[in-house]
Amino acid sequence: MHRIMLREVIIDAPAKDVDAVTAFWSGALAATPHPVPGEPFTALRDAASLPHVATQDIGDDPTPRYHLDIETDDLEAEIARLEGLGATVRTRYDDYAVMADPVGLVFCLLPPVSEEFEARSKTV
């Protein structure tokens, strides 16, 4: 048994569009954009949302999309559970994985980093 929690919705945008996308979603969700130093992410702080929201510069990739970040306290067990549900691993790193659901939508599995994990995660 391990725990999971949907942490964040990421709005992926090509480099040429990321400023406009960040401005749009900041305005749409009444949020304040805060670039994450050294990362391709801009946190949209105090957004009118339950999960965290951010934008991500995906460089030259021309395909804008949304992806979800899911926190887990047992990466191996969660990968196995989600593969059993039809997901596939796209890229595996030491401490996180990029996966795709059965129709190819991308999401990430991450270790717990948010303050809400203890209170809001569920055991699976």
Side-chain angles (χ1 to χ4, degrees):
M1 303 282 273
H2 62 280
R3 294 177 302 158
I4 61 164
M5 181 187 78
L6 174 63
R7 177 190 193 285
E8 188 166 30
V9 175
I10 310 289
I11 303 157
D12 298 330
K16 67 181 183 58
D17 300 321
V18 74
D19 290 341
V21 167
T22 299
F24 173 80
W25 284 107
S26 294
L29 296 175
T32 304
H34 288 273
V36 179
E39 298 289 336
F41 300 98
T42 299
L44 302 184
R45 292 199 181 145
D46 300 318
S49 70
L50 287 175
H52 298 279
V53 181
T55 60
Q56 178 179 357
D57 181 338
I58 55 173
D60 294 333
D61 185 335
T63 310
R65 60 187 171 257
Y66 299 94
H67 83 262
L68 305 176
D69 281 354
I70 298 171
E71 292 184 1
T72 180
D73 60 3
D74 189 333
L75 185 62
E76 298 304 323
E78 188 60 7
I79 288 172
R81 186 179 83 85
L82 294 174
E83 285 178 327
L85 293 171
T88 56
V89 175
R90 287 244 176 124
T91 309
R92 178 62 204 273
Y93 300 93
D94 289 338
D95 58 347
Y96 74 99
V98 178
M99 299 188 72
D101 75 4
V103 298
L105 296 172
V106 175
F107 62 96
C108 295
L109 292 181
L110 310 168
V113 294
S114 63
E115 295 173 8
E116 299 95 339
F117 187 80
E118 289 299 319
R120 298 188 69 185
S121 62
K122 293 203 175 200
T123 300
V124 293

Coordinates of all heavy atoms in Angstrom, one line a residue, residues 10 14 21 28 33 39 42 44 49 51 56 64 73 76 80 83 86 90 92 95 101-102 108 110 121:
I10 N -0.2 21.2 -15.3 CA 0.9 22.0 -16.0 C 0.3 22.3 -17.4 O -0.2 21.4 -18.1 CB 2.2 21.1 -16.1 CG1 2.6 20.6 -14.8 CG2 3.3 22.0 -16.8 CD1 3.2 21.6 -13.8
P14 N 4.9 25.8 -26.3 CA 6.2 26.0 -27.0 C 6.8 27.3 -26.6 O 6.1 28.3 -26.2 CB 5.8 26.1 -28.5 CG 4.5 25.3 -28.6 CD 3.8 25.6 -27.2
V21 N 0.8 32.4 -23.1 CA 0.1 31.4 -22.4 C 0.1 31.7 -20.9 O -0.9 31.6 -20.2 CB 0.6 30.0 -22.7 CG1 0.1 28.9 -21.7 CG2 0.3 29.6 -24.2
A28 N -6.7 34.5 -16.4 CA -7.9 33.6 -16.4 C -8.2 33.1 -15.0 O -9.3 33.0 -14.5 CB -7.8 32.5 -17.4
P33 N 2.1 35.3 -11.7 CA 3.1 34.4 -12.2 C 4.4 34.6 -11.5 O 4.8 35.7 -11.2 CB 3.2 34.8 -13.7 CG 2.7 36.2 -13.8 CD 1.7 36.4 -12.6
E39 N 14.5 26.7 -14.0 CA 13.5 25.7 -14.5 C 12.7 26.2 -15.6 O 12.5 27.5 -15.7 CB 12.6 25.2 -13.3 CG 13.4 24.6 -12.1 CD 13.9 23.2 -12.5 OE1 13.4 22.5 -13.4 OE2 14.9 22.8 -11.8
T42 N 6.7 28.3 -14.7 CA 6.3 29.5 -14.0 C 5.1 29.1 -13.2 O 4.1 28.6 -13.7 CB 5.9 30.6 -15.1 OG1 7.0 30.9 -15.8 CG2 5.3 31.8 -14.4
L44 N 1.8 29.6 -11.1 CA 0.8 30.6 -11.1 C 0.2 30.6 -9.7 O -0.7 29.8 -9.3 CB -0.3 30.2 -12.1 CG 0.2 30.1 -13.6 CD1 -1.0 29.8 -14.5 CD2 1.0 31.3 -14.0
S49 N -8.0 27.9 -7.9 CA -8.0 26.5 -8.2 C -7.8 25.6 -7.0 O -7.3 26.2 -6.0 CB -7.0 26.1 -9.3 OG -5.7 26.3 -8.7
P51 N -6.0 22.4 -7.3 CA -4.6 22.0 -7.4 C -3.7 23.2 -7.7 O -4.2 24.2 -8.1 CB -4.6 21.0 -8.6 CG -5.7 21.4 -9.4 CD -6.8 22.0 -8.4
Q56 N 4.7 25.6 -18.5 CA 6.1 25.0 -18.7 C 6.5 25.4 -20.2 O 5.7 25.2 -21.1 CB 6.0 23.5 -18.6 CG 7.4 22.8 -18.9 CD 7.3 21.3 -18.6 OE1 6.3 20.8 -18.2 NE2 8.4 20.7 -18.9
P64 N 1.3 22.2 -28.0 CA 0.8 22.6 -26.7 C -0.1 21.5 -26.1 O -0.8 20.8 -26.8 CB 0.1 23.9 -26.9 CG -0.3 23.8 -28.4 CD 0.7 22.9 -29.0
D73 N 4.4 8.3 -2.7 CA 5.4 7.9 -1.7 C 6.1 6.6 -2.1 O 7.0 6.1 -1.3 CB 5.0 8.0 -0.3 CG 3.8 7.0 0.0 OD1 3.4 6.3 -0.9 OD2 3.3 7.1 1.2
E76 N 7.9 3.1 -7.5 CA 7.9 1.8 -8.2 C 6.5 1.1 -8.1 O 6.0 0.6 -9.1 CB 8.9 0.8 -7.6 CG 10.3 1.3 -7.8 CD 10.7 1.5 -9.2 OE1 10.3 0.8 -10.1 OE2 11.5 2.5 -9.5
A80 N 3.9 0.5 -11.4 CA 3.3 -0.8 -11.6 C 1.8 -0.8 -11.6 O 1.1 -1.4 -12.4 CB 3.8 -1.9 -10.6
E83 N 0.6 1.0 -14.8 CA 0.8 0.1 -15.9 C -0.3 -0.9 -16.0 O -0.8 -1.2 -17.1 CB 2.1 -0.5 -15.9 CG 3.3 0.4 -16.3 CD 4.6 -0.2 -16.2 OE1 4.9 -1.1 -15.3 OE2 5.5 0.2 -17.0
G86 N -3.2 0.4 -17.7 CA -3.1 0.7 -19.1 C -2.1 1.8 -19.4 O -1.9 2.2 -20.6
R90 N 7.0 6.6 -20.4 CA 7.7 7.3 -21.6 C 9.2 7.4 -21.3 O 10.0 7.2 -22.1 CB 7.1 8.6 -21.8 CG 5.7 8.6 -22.4 CD 5.8 9.2 -23.8 NE 4.5 9.1 -24.5 CZ 3.9 10.1 -25.0 NH1 4.3 11.4 -24.8 NH2 2.8 10.0 -25.7
R92 N 12.0 7.3 -17.8 CA 12.2 7.0 -16.4 C 13.5 7.7 -15.9 O 14.5 7.7 -16.5 CB 12.3 5.5 -16.2 CG 12.6 5.1 -14.8 CD 11.4 5.5 -13.9 NE 11.8 5.6 -12.5 CZ 11.8 4.6 -11.7 NH1 11.4 3.4 -12.0 NH2 12.3 4.8 -10.5
D95 N 14.3 9.7 -9.7 CA 13.3 10.0 -8.7 C 11.9 10.4 -9.3 O 11.0 10.8 -8.5 CB 13.8 11.2 -7.8 CG 14.1 12.4 -8.6 OD1 14.2 12.4 -9.8 OD2 14.3 13.5 -7.9
D101 N -1.1 8.0 -20.4 CA -2.3 7.2 -20.2 C -2.7 6.4 -21.4 O -1.9 6.4 -22.4 CB -3.5 8.1 -19.7 CG -4.1 8.9 -20.8 OD1 -3.7 8.8 -22.0 OD2 -5.0 9.8 -20.5
P102 N -3.7 5.6 -21.4 CA -4.0 4.7 -22.5 C -4.2 5.4 -23.9 O -4.0 4.7 -24.9 CB -5.3 4.0 -22.1 CG -5.2 3.9 -20.6 CD -4.6 5.3 -20.2
C108 N 3.2 13.1 -15.1 CA 4.4 12.8 -14.4 C 4.1 12.2 -13.0 O 3.1 12.6 -12.4 CB 5.2 14.0 -14.2 SG 5.8 14.7 -15.8
L110 N 5.9 12.0 -9.4 CA 6.9 12.6 -8.6 C 6.9 12.2 -7.1 O 5.9 11.8 -6.6 CB 6.7 14.2 -8.6 CG 6.4 14.8 -10.0 CD1 5.9 16.2 -9.7 CD2 7.7 14.8 -10.8
S121 N -3.4 13.1 0.5 CA -3.2 11.9 -0.3 C -4.1 10.8 0.1 O -4.7 10.8 1.2 CB -1.7 11.5 -0.1 OG -1.4 11.2 1.2

